[in-house]
Amino acid sequence: YFLKTKHPFIPSFYRRYVDDTFCIFGEENHADLFLEFINSIDDSIQFDKECEVEDSLPFLDTIVKRTLNNVYPDVSNRVKPTDKGLFYNVQSFIPESYKSNLIYILVYRVFHIASSYAIFHHDLQILKSKFLKNGFLSVLFDLTVRKFLDKQYTPEEAITTVKRMRVTRVLPNLGPLSVFIKRRLNELINRFYTLVDLNIVYKRGRTVGSLFPYKDRFPLKCRSSVVYKIECESCGSSATHVGKTINTTHERPHGTNGHPHPSTKSTAPPEHPAANATPNRELNTDNIKAPDTCTGDPKSRPAESTHPKHSKQTPNT
């Protein structure tokens, strides 16, 4: 609102806390003009002003003092005239932690208000004299101050009980941009997820192999270690033979010379026509399918026994 107005007496510095306002003006008479201006806005809201005395101005619980050598003013703790310096007595029947915490809280207040270590030391001596008048021991005050300062300058390392998690993500290699993205991701992870170790793996872009994604399919008759399935051309899925072989699917019903293998005479494919007494009903071994492929005989045995169950067929009928 003040920026929209073009009055010459607008403060160069304006800060407000509830109904207390701290302003800095270029000239002394600008403060009176500004006060008159804000009191004319609403008759039900009226302000008064307090000017600096000997380069000092009290504001809330602080005293702001202007200095000639420093750009920023000196800020110290303000002791109000009504302050009697009374705390609960050291002999009071209260837990000992209450007494040490009272010292700790007031030292914390003095530390964060003081703008320099010289002011902090001066205000700390005033605070110490008040505690000594209430019966507190000087040793207790000094130990509490040391505890506070140790925590400020030598903070304790956090002990984590959760195991760190390692996360790996694959990103395309985009040159210098990938390095920037990796650095930025690590900064965000360390900031918001301190227990996560991010591992970035780069993936190459277009390669020669990516230009030829399709390869010739390996012929089924040349594939080995498969679970095969043969259906009757007339009966369909009602007459199915499921088996396995560690050799190629061509060598299973035939030998290496192309003729039927002696061990296949007692298997289900040759027995099907005899069982049905119909010459047209036969299992054509040339129309063979491979529903599953295994890496060896131990893995092909379970696959052979479970395939009819999953396909809801009667095995080897």
Side-chain angles (χ1 to χ4, degrees):
Y1 174 75
F2 292 140
L3 295 177
K4 295 180 181 179
T5 60
K6 298 182 180 180
H7 299 289
F9 50 78
I10 298 301
S12 60
F13 182 86
Y14 180 90
R15 292 294 183 271
R16 182 177 64 87
Y17 181 80
V18 190
D19 58 345
D20 294 324
T21 306
F22 186 89
C23 301
I24 298 179
F25 297 91
E27 298 181 9
E28 186 174 354
N29 62 336
H30 287 179
D32 298 328
L33 296 175
F34 181 73
L35 179 64
E36 183 180 354
F37 169 70
I38 60 177
N39 286 334
S40 64
I41 297 176
D42 194 338
D43 295 336
S44 60
I45 302 177
Q46 297 296 308
F47 296 88
D48 57 359
K49 68 181 179 68
E50 182 179 359
C51 297
E52 61 176 295
V53 178
E54 297 180 356
D55 298 333
S56 298
L57 179 64
F59 181 69
L60 300 177
D61 292 337
T62 65
I63 296 179
V64 182
K65 186 176 182 179
R66 182 169 54 180
T67 57
L68 299 177
N69 298 328
N70 297 330
V71 178
Y72 300 100
D74 291 338
V75 182
S76 60
N77 290 265
R78 177 189 178 190
V79 180
K80 296 182 179 180
T82 56
D83 184 18
K84 303 300 181 180
L86 294 178
F87 307 119
Y88 37 70
N89 193 277
V90 72
Q91 302 296 334
S92 301
F93 188 69
I94 56 176
E96 293 297 327
S97 59
Y98 286 16
K99 303 172 185 178
S100 59
N101 288 341
L102 175 63
I103 301 175
Y104 193 94
I105 292 173
L106 294 178
V107 171
Y108 177 91
R109 175 177 174 271
V110 170
F111 178 82
H112 285 85
I113 291 178
S115 59
S116 64
Y117 288 103
I119 296 176
F120 171 66
H121 177 73
H122 178 266
D123 294 343
L124 198 63
Q125 295 302 319
I126 297 176
L127 182 64
K128 182 177 181 180
S129 63
K130 292 181 180 180
F131 276 102
L132 294 179
K133 291 179 180 179
N134 287 271
F136 283 78
L137 297 178
S138 177
V139 176
L140 177 61
F141 185 86
D142 294 339
L143 289 176
T144 306
V145 172
R146 178 180 298 179
K147 177 182 177 182
F148 171 80
L149 294 177
D150 289 343
K151 188 174 182 180
Q152 295 297 319
Y153 296 104
T154 57
E156 297 180 359
E157 296 183 359
I159 301 176
T160 58
T161 57
V162 181
K163 186 179 179 180
R164 299 185 66 86
M165 181 174 61
R166 185 176 179 85
V167 178
T168 302
R169 290 294 180 265
V170 180
L171 297 178
N173 189 2
L174 304 177
L177 181 60
S178 298
V179 179
F180 172 77
I181 295 175
K182 179 180 179 180
R183 186 189 311 115
R184 185 57 179 161
L185 287 176
N186 285 325
E187 291 176 356
L188 295 175
I189 291 296
N190 294 333
R191 180 179 178 183
F192 297 103
Y193 303 95
T194 57
L195 298 179
V196 175
D197 293 331
L198 180 63
N199 181 32
I200 301 297
V201 178
Y202 294 116
K203 181 180 179 181
R204 293 182 300 173
R206 184 178 295 275
T207 59
V208 177
S210 63
L211 301 176
F212 306 94
Y214 301 103
K215 296 182 179 180
D216 295 337
R217 296 182 61 87
F218 202 60
L220 177 60
K221 292 184 177 182
C222 299
R223 292 166 57 184
S224 60
S225 299
V226 298
V227 176
Y228 62 87
K229 181 175 68 173
I230 305 174
E231 294 182 357
C232 177
E233 296 180 351
S234 300
C235 302
S237 60
S238 59
T240 305
H241 174 76
V242 178
K244 68 173 182 63
T245 177
I246 59 176
N247 299 322
T248 62
T249 54
H250 177 75
E251 293 176 346
R252 176 65 180 91
H254 305 85
T256 55
N257 55 1
H259 298 284
H261 197 271
S263 61
T264 62
K265 293 182 179 181
S266 60
T267 58
E271 294 177 355
H272 176 64
N276 291 275
T278 305
N280 295 330
R281 295 184 179 181
E282 60 181 2
L283 296 176
N284 188 2
T285 57
D286 294 333
N287 189 19
I288 189 172
K289 299 179 181 179
D292 199 357
T293 302
C294 303
T295 57
D297 187 64
K299 293 184 178 180
S300 61
R301 291 177 182 272
E304 178 191 12
S305 59
T306 57
H307 180 75
K309 179 180 179 181
H310 290 292
S311 59
K312 299 181 179 179
Q313 295 178 352
T314 302
N316 302 339
T317 56

